Amino acid sequence: MVLRTPDSEAGAAGLAAILARPHEASLAFDFDGVLSPIVADPGLSRPYTGVVAALGRLAELVGSVSIITGRPVADVLRLGDLGELAALEHFSIFGVYGMQRWDWATRSVVSEPVPAGVAAARAELPGLLDAAGYDGVSIEDKAMSVAVHTRRAAAPQEAFAALREPLAEVAARHGLTVEPGRMVLELRPPGIDKGHALETIVTGHGARAVAYFGDDLGDLAAFDAVERLREAGVPGLKVCSGSDEVQRLAERADLILDGPPGVLEFVEGLNERLK
């Protein structure tokens, strides 16, 4: 299997460092849109066929493999059917942008306290959405944050645009920020992002090479982290899963793959080169 070459010089250096020192490399993946296809109902999301097994093989060959997601850890464990992967010492899940973490040793979830503002904002949202009158808009309770999805509305983009300002006002009243994504607006505590989670992983494992695979605006913070790590002497690779919906991420990527099938192909290519 051919392993795709990154388009940028820095990305090529990141991949070369992973191949040269795999046991000192940390690879991290978003869940939705990277390991699993985007679906209208987030509760029905499932990993792309074969990708969990491929990550399991990768986790035996590199320093660490992680999932960094806005979902709660429990969602990933339930929807991902991770099986033996979740029991590997060098595998971790950082949920809700790092506010939760799966501890493989105790088979339990370690969580930061839920900010009071999340519950207060969650209580306001049903009334706000009823008043807005957009049928099909749904609320997802992520425990440590709350998300409003417009993908199933009759006019998804119109609902998304119309709700941004009122949701920002709700967030501001309760000390939260709004993170936009693909037809989703998430209200969550400030100062928590995927970049911080990625740097925590790299520091914890003493990684000397890093790669991050993302698909949405929330992954820009992880791309920022890869660039900071490069400046600190850690070669890194930024990978965008798909390029149609989130052009800003694609423009920042060293390599663009064709969604979850492309991610699976790339991971399998890595496995072949490293075994």
Side-chain angles (χ1 to χ4, degrees):
M1 184 177 293
V2 177
L3 186 62
R4 289 273 308 277
T5 302
D7 297 322
S8 71
E9 183 177 341
L15 178 58
I18 292 168
L19 294 172
R21 302 188 297 272
H23 294 293
E24 298 178 336
S26 289
L27 285 77
F29 302 78
D30 185 17
F31 186 75
D32 295 286
V34 175
L35 302 180
S36 64
I38 296 292
V39 294
D41 182 351
L44 299 178
S45 179
R46 294 293 184 276
Y48 187 73
T49 302
V51 77
V52 172
L55 286 184
R57 290 189 287 273
L58 182 64
E60 300 281 9
L61 298 169
V62 300
S64 72
V65 170
S66 304
I67 295 174
I68 304 177
T69 175
R71 286 182 180 269
V73 169
D75 272 12
V76 178
L77 292 171
R78 176 174 56 86
L79 299 173
D81 192 21
L82 299 183
E84 295 180 359
L85 178 59
L88 295 178
E89 180 178 358
H90 300 296
F91 173 75
S92 60
I93 305 170
F94 284 72
V96 199
Y97 302 91
M99 292 186 70
Q100 295 183 340
R101 181 177 179 181
W102 170 250
D103 182 359
W104 70 272
T106 63
R107 307 294 193 273
S108 63
V109 179
V110 179
S111 298
E112 298 291 332
V114 181
V118 173
R122 186 185 299 119
E124 280 194 41
L125 291 182
L128 185 152
L129 297 182
D130 285 345
Y134 287 102
D135 293 336
V137 174
S138 62
I139 299 170
E140 181 185 6
D141 185 352
K142 294 188 173 185
M144 313 290 279
S145 67
V146 60
V148 175
H149 295 268
T150 67
R151 188 173 295 273
R152 290 191 290 177
Q157 189 62 57
E158 178 185 333
F160 180 87
L163 290 171
R164 288 193 70 159
E165 184 174 343
L167 289 178
E169 292 173 357
V170 171
R173 280 198 299 276
H174 300 294
L176 306 175
T177 61
V178 174
E179 180 71 44
R182 289 204 247 180
M183 298 301 106
V184 60
L185 295 157
E186 183 168 347
L187 286 69
R188 58 181 173 83
I192 303 296
D193 60 44
K194 293 180 179 181
H196 181 265
L198 182 62
E199 287 174 312
T200 298
I201 292 166
V202 170
T203 300
H205 288 276
R208 298 179 62 190
V210 62
Y212 183 79
F213 297 69
D215 77 306
D216 209 341
L217 293 174
D219 298 304
L220 287 170
F223 276 19
D224 290 341
V226 172
E227 292 172 4
R228 288 193 296 269
L229 289 163
R230 284 173 175 172
E231 292 174 1
V234 179
L237 173 63
K238 300 174 295 181
V239 182
C240 177
S241 171
S243 60
D244 295 336
E245 292 193 45
V246 189
Q247 191 62 32
R248 283 177 59 194
L249 195 73
E251 290 170 353
R252 294 273 304 278
D254 303 306
L255 177 64
I256 299 174
L257 302 176
D258 185 20
V263 171
L264 172 60
E265 182 179 3
F266 186 83
V267 171
E268 289 288 40
L270 271 179
N271 288 339
E272 286 191 11
R273 289 286 295 273
L274 295 175
K275 67 182 180 181

